[in-house]
Amino acid sequence: MPFIPHTPEEQREMLAAIGVDSIEALFEDIPAKFRAGDLNLPSGLSEMEVRQKLEKTAARNHTDLTSFLGAGFYDHYIPSAVDALCSRGEFYTAYTPYQAEASQGMLQAIFEYQTAVARLMDLEYANASLYDGGTALYEAIMMAVRHTRRSRIVISESVNPIYRVMLDSYTTNLKLDLVTVPHKDCNTDMDALLAALNDDTAAVIVQNPNFFGTVQDFTALFDKAREHKIVSVISTYPVMQSILKTPGRMGADIAVAEGQSLGLPLSFGGPYLGIMACNKQLIRQMPGRIAGRTVDKNGKTGFVLTLQAREQHIRREKATSNICSNQALCALRALMYMSLLGPQGLKKTAQVGIERAHYAANRLERLPGVRVVNQPFGNEFTVKLPVRAYEVIDKLLDMKFVPGFPLGRYYQGMDNHLLVACTEKTTKQCIGILAELIGGAL
Amino acid sequence: MKTLFQDSSKGRTGVWPKEPKGNTEADIPAYLLRDTAPKLPELSEIDVIRHFTRLSRLNYSVDSNFYPLGSCTMKYNPKFTEAVAAQPGFTNLHPLIPQLKGAGHMTQGALEVLYETEQLLGEITGMSAFTLQPMAGAHGELTGVMLMAAYHNDKGNRKTKIIVPDSAHGTNPASAAIAGYDVVSIQSKNGMIDPDELEKVLDDEVAGLMMTCPNTLGLFECGLERIVKLVHGVDGLLYYDGANLNAIMGKMRVGDVGFDVVHLNLHKTFATPHGGGGPGSGPVGVSQRLVDYLPISRVVKLEDGQYYLNYDYPKSIGYIAPFYGNFGVILKAYAYILRLGREGIVRATENAVLAANYLRKRIEEHLEIPHDRICMHEFVASAAKQAEKGVRALDIAKALLDKGHYAPTIYFPLIVKECLMFEPTETESKETLDGFVDDLIEILGRVETDPQSIHDAPVTTPVQRLDEVRAARSMELVDDAGL
């Protein structure tokens, strides 16, 4: 049997030591009426057969596409060293580092990851990771609700709608009042947000660049929030954060992000990485694992999981969150990615994406009836087409081109709007073809 | 070992994908840009390779050590599943592709993986339908409790409480509380849920009971049948925490018993690696009466064999994940189930329980086992007697590290004093188990002869016992090097 080392003779020896005469005797506690019959599963396959079968399955996915799809999830180049390092069994077959002395590798890596994230966001602290950008946003809201003891949440409609529908589900039973402030021509509507803040508000939530790609400064909004003792939450794009004004500089209290862009493959939606950083005042409300530096009894530097009085295994129903397993290996990948690129490499990656996107916007805007809606933007932008975005996508798919994401899927009245993303992997040549194909499809 | 930040040298460069023109201010006004680049480490590629290779060597792992961490099912993680999941046909797939009209045919392979995995898990557990979206066990619990709430709300039931036994994983009460319920804890009797105690707290406001079976002592709940009847009697729902599924897989299907919701931990029972603390995957299965409330999207198979994502479920709890779950993890579990098949699944359970009982029997003369009877896949021992002599469970755990074994789970479940929870899993050989017990016996012998040596442990690890109080007080949670 696969992966079971016991020979029949060893099994007999073990049964004799236990004092029973069959393996079946070990299951006598399960009442006869609950005993399962033979499972209706296929027979086992050899390793080779499983791999052959799943090679065929993989081949049924179309990954030979030229894609301008982003919408919060981006196709960045992953240096070969990331996979080489991450596939070390010492990392990926370990558990959560409960026994610190036997887990220093993971603990130091988490500490370094926390440091890198805090520096990227320009905030004091970061945790060891959450599941993804959406659940990180939900956890940020819950931090604000606990911290302020208020229940009103103001969120911009330009925050990724994939996350906003998740927030709807999570807050259904929680007596929270989620107020969504509409966007204004793909900009986050600062005036409307300012007007929506009041002394009952727990948190204000914005995204930069927002879902449409627009880059803005939220300093004034966060200043006003502070006056009302409201927690300011900003959702960001980590690669772009290497060049854009930081959450810390804008005065945000909590920064969250989907960390997929930092060296994680798109992998059909997961595993991804929930990034969270916060300022000093909120650290005890932080969910999830946190590593800290300390010394051993000989004074040697070492690392432990710390501030565990927040966590479910200690506080049970009074914990700050129920999270146990997080995305440690994904955080490790992100740390490796950031270390390999360094500050300059990360910035250059962002810059190439921005340059490509502006080149693409320029090319598309030359087409009749096509208008770039937002300004300024980073590596992603919104164009309004003279026809429905779906129709253009449908036509281009046949040529193995995905020109972008149709905003009509989430926004009423935006059926003609297309969200187009570029990264350092996007070539000028492909942008040229894209412009020609879209031009031909109009 | 120095941190990445301590090792950083200004101006040193690693991997740059491409050189930009660099005139970003032409595209984005300066006031929207950051003043200085983030102070990330500046290293060469080989610096990074050496740093992480050295860090990896400081870890104990299943690939390098016996890892009898109770409740965590640290079985061997087969390497072919890594190869399967690393295929570009899966890793390069953007999750929004199937949401584009006209692109339905482009992700048929991935959708088939999801559909087939749901079917296989449904057969193994006897549940009517599954969602694979929860990204870890605790996330599955929260999803499960949200499903229970949706059921009661839809029926117009006024339910405010969820019952959780005192032996439960800490995530159970935390998940129930986060979903908006009051948590009622009930005391165990002889290590089991006491149906009489349960009956006392049952009333019409009880939304359900969360339980683990076998429970966290590794014992099968002997009152299970009555418990199910009692909870269903007040229109409560039965929640099954699948952390211990490795004890019953192929022997009992929780759906057949009457459970309404179950979450599984693919990173335990189905051999996907724990990754040093994730990513996991926590699929949730439901009985027929909860199917309508499952999260969207759901994968549907058409008569012509094509798959598509259906979002049209008006009673659904909505979206709990951005997409379809931790797909890369689900793939590995799928490959593992295909490899084991009908027979292998049952043999895994049988040998896990065999190994646990063998280990229990070999340990029982040396360490007190409060409920010493045939156990399932794990068992709990107590170092209470050793503690009277000053050697606590923690000390024994640390001494085991010096022998090259990872430690068992300690101080959980909370209902046994000085407890050590052992889960050997089916993939460890008899020699490994014997070697472990011999080492444990040697350590316990020193409780009398040389207790100080146990207090001093570990001495062979990269660091010795760490000052946790100092860590919590000094709050050094980030590095200040190079600022």
Side-chain angles (χ1 to χ4, degrees), chain A residues 62 65 391-403 437, chain B residues 101-103 105-106:
Chain A
H62 296 221
L65 306 170
E391 291 170 24
V392 173
I393 293 170
D394 204 20
K395 285 181 188 163
L396 266 62
L397 280 174
D398 292 341
M399 268 88 72
K400 296 198 172 291
F401 261 70
V402 186
L437 289 176
Chain B
K101 268 185 206 159
H105 63 289
M106 294 183 150

Side-chain angles (χ1 to χ4, degrees), chain B residues 170-345:
Chain B
T171 47
N172 289 179
S175 300
I178 281 161
Y181 283 102
D182 295 331
V183 176
V184 180
S185 179
I186 52 165
Q187 245 184 345
S188 305
K189 189 176 170 187
N190 298 324
M192 308 251 185
I193 295 178
D194 178 359
D196 293 333
E197 199 64 31
L198 174 64
E199 205 164 7
K200 279 186 216 159
V201 296
L202 269 183
D203 58 32
D204 288 339
E205 290 182 0
V206 170
L209 167 73
M210 296 179 85
M211 66 184 286
T212 307
C213 184
N215 63 24
T216 54
L217 292 174
L219 303 177
F220 192 87
E221 289 284 352
C222 55
L224 184 59
E225 197 175 352
R226 197 173 145 215
I227 292 167
V228 173
K229 275 199 187 120
L230 282 171
V231 175
H232 282 164
V234 295
D235 201 11
L237 297 168
L238 261 296
Y239 185 99
Y240 181 90
D241 178 329
N244 295 347
L245 190 77
N246 214 42
I248 60 158
M249 190 166 58
K251 294 288 179 185
M252 180 181 100
R253 305 197 317 161
V254 292
D256 298 342
V257 175
F259 281 93
D260 300 288
V261 191
V262 50
H263 89 260
L264 305 180
N265 300 73
L266 299 187
H267 50 288
K268 296 181 181 178
T269 321
F270 297 97
T272 71
H274 287 67
S281 175
V284 169
V286 293
S287 61
Q288 195 54 45
R289 55 181 167 163
L290 291 175
V291 170
D292 289 347
Y293 310 104
L294 282 172
I296 45 179
S297 59
R298 290 174 56 191
V299 190
V300 178
K301 187 176 185 179
L302 297 169
E303 273 177 19
D304 65 359
Q306 294 288 302
Y307 302 91
Y308 78 102
L309 293 170
N310 191 350
Y311 293 82
D312 188 19
Y313 297 93
K315 290 186 172 183
S316 165
I317 60 168
Y319 298 81
I320 58 115
F323 298 106
Y324 326 108
N326 279 343
F327 180 73
V329 180
I330 293 163
L331 254 177
K332 294 177 198 178
Y334 176 53
Y336 174 76
I337 297 170
L338 291 177
R339 173 90 175 87
L340 261 58
R342 183 192 322 122
E343 276 245 295
I345 290 278

Side-chain angles (χ1 to χ4, degrees), chain A residues 269-419:
Chain A
Y272 287 170
L273 168 65
I275 286 178
M276 176 180 271
C278 73
N279 66 19
K280 238 176 209 162
Q281 287 73 40
L282 287 163
I283 182 68
R284 295 198 187 269
Q285 297 297 344
M286 184 90 110
R289 313 286 185 191
I290 299 174
R293 183 154 58 191
T294 184
V295 292
D296 76 358
K297 60 186 189 183
N298 303 318
K300 189 175 174 188
T301 297
F303 301 87
V304 292
L305 291 177
T306 191
L307 304 182
Q308 296 193 68
R310 302 163 296 113
E311 291 192 61
Q312 46 78 24
H313 61 283
I314 310 280
R315 290 292 296 279
R316 299 177 78 84
E317 66 268 23
K318 295 189 180 66
T320 55
S321 162
N322 70 335
I323 194 166
C324 182
S325 283
N326 46 83
Q327 306 282 112
L329 199 71
C330 304
L332 188 67
R333 282 187 80 93
L335 175 66
M336 290 166 177
Y337 177 84
M338 286 188 278
S339 314
L340 285 161
L341 269 69
Q344 295 309 320
L346 200 61
K347 185 177 169 184
K348 285 170 195 280
T349 302
Q351 283 177 311
V352 176
I354 292 167
E355 287 167 10
R356 293 285 188 271
H358 284 77
Y359 176 73
N362 198 281
R363 288 294 303 263
L364 294 182
E365 210 157 27
R366 287 189 224 157
L367 299 171
V370 175
R371 181 169 68 87
V372 174
V373 180
N374 42 359
Q375 191 61 253
F377 59 86
N379 69 325
E380 194 165 23
F381 59 95
T382 299
V383 283
K384 189 173 182 194
L385 306 171
V387 297
R388 292 159 72 90
Y390 269 124
E391 291 170 24
V392 173
I393 293 170
D394 204 20
K395 285 181 188 163
L396 266 62
L397 280 174
D398 292 341
M399 268 88 72
K400 296 198 172 291
F401 261 70
V402 186
F405 184 74
L407 285 164
R409 179 165 162 75
Y410 286 104
Y411 293 92
Q412 274 196 349
M414 294 186 79
D415 286 347
N416 289 13
H417 289 73
L418 183 72
L419 182 63

Side-chain angles (χ1 to χ4, degrees), chain A residues 33 40 170 293 300 348, chain B residues 19 123 139 225 320 462 476:
Chain A
K33 63 182 292 193
N40 182 20
Y170 285 120
R293 183 154 58 191
K300 189 175 174 188
K348 285 170 195 280
Chain B
E19 196 65 41
E123 174 59 22
H139 197 213
E225 197 175 352
I320 58 115
E476 225 183 304

Side-chain angles (χ1 to χ4, degrees), chain A residues 31-169:
Chain A
K33 63 182 292 193
F34 291 153
R35 291 297 295 269
D38 279 345
L39 295 180
N40 182 20
L41 296 175
S43 299
L45 301 174
S46 69
E47 173 177 324
M48 184 181 77
E49 288 167 325
V50 176
R51 287 195 60 175
Q52 285 170 339
K53 176 178 164 67
L54 290 177
E55 274 163 26
K56 285 189 193 137
T57 308
R60 295 177 63 207
N61 296 322
H62 296 221
T63 49
D64 55 342
L65 306 170
T66 302
S67 174
F68 293 82
L69 205 50
F73 312 92
Y74 301 95
D75 185 18
H76 287 286
Y77 178 73
I78 302 172
S80 311
V82 173
D83 279 318
L85 288 170
C86 233
S87 58
R88 291 188 68 91
E90 297 92 331
F91 283 131
Y92 81 77
T93 72
Y95 199 75
T96 304
Y98 291 134
Q99 293 292 338
E101 300 88 344
S103 315
Q104 283 298 297
M106 202 56 180
L107 282 163
Q108 180 169 335
I110 294 171
F111 176 82
E112 292 171 348
Y113 164 83
Q114 289 170 186
T115 305
V117 167
R119 291 182 182 193
L120 193 61
M121 301 299 180
D122 218 353
L123 286 163
E124 273 112 340
Y125 295 126
N127 72 3
S129 80
L130 297 165
Y131 306 129
D132 82 301
T135 50
L137 199 56
Y138 153 71
E139 294 280 9
I141 288 180
M142 298 315 290
M143 285 171 76
V145 168
R146 287 192 300 272
H147 182 72
T148 60
R149 295 170 190 273
R150 300 172 184 172
S151 58
R152 185 169 176 274
I153 312 292
V154 174
I155 184 166
S156 169
E157 196 188 14
S158 62
V159 171
N160 195 329
I162 295 168
Y163 297 161
R164 286 189 291 110
V165 291
M166 286 169 70
L167 297 181
D168 287 340
S169 311

Side-chain angles (χ1 to χ4, degrees), chain B residues 55-70:
Chain B
L55 276 190
S56 78
R57 290 191 189 140
L58 307 183
N59 270 356
Y60 284 32
S61 65
V62 173
D63 277 4
S64 51
N65 308 78
F66 179 43
Y67 220 105
L69 192 65

